[in-house]
Amino acid sequence: MTIEEIAFELELAGLRIEEQRMLLSSIRRSGFDAKMLDRKLIGMGYAPVFTIYDDENDAYISNVKK
């Protein structure tokens, strides 16, 4: 996902502009991690947005990072 697509999804989720900026800044620093971003959204009181991830893909990514 591009940063613009992520920003659009956050806007649709109803995040305030300050919250969007904070999350987008974090993504620019650390990269996009769908599960982590959803955990942050849940912690902020929002429903998860980026729930389209696949356990098989996660296993593949974990093996690649090692």
Side-chain angles (χ1 to χ4, degrees), residues 2-64:
T2 67
I3 199 75
E4 291 82 14
E5 291 170 328
I6 296 167
F8 180 70
E9 291 295 333
L10 294 174
E11 185 178 346
L12 288 178
L15 274 74
R16 293 178 296 140
I17 193 71
E18 299 85 17
E19 294 169 325
Q20 292 176 37
R21 286 184 188 145
M22 178 192 66
L23 291 175
L24 293 171
S25 176
S26 174
I27 292 167
R28 285 185 183 105
R29 274 192 316 273
S30 305
F32 176 73
D33 180 345
K35 285 186 179 183
M36 182 60 68
L37 189 52
D38 275 347
R39 283 189 214 125
K40 287 182 180 182
L41 288 171
I42 291 168
M44 295 168 69
Y46 294 97
V49 174
F50 304 96
T51 55
I52 307 172
Y53 30 76
D54 184 15
D55 290 333
E56 290 178 24
N57 190 31
D58 290 343
Y60 171 77
I61 291 169
S62 295
N63 288 333
V64 170

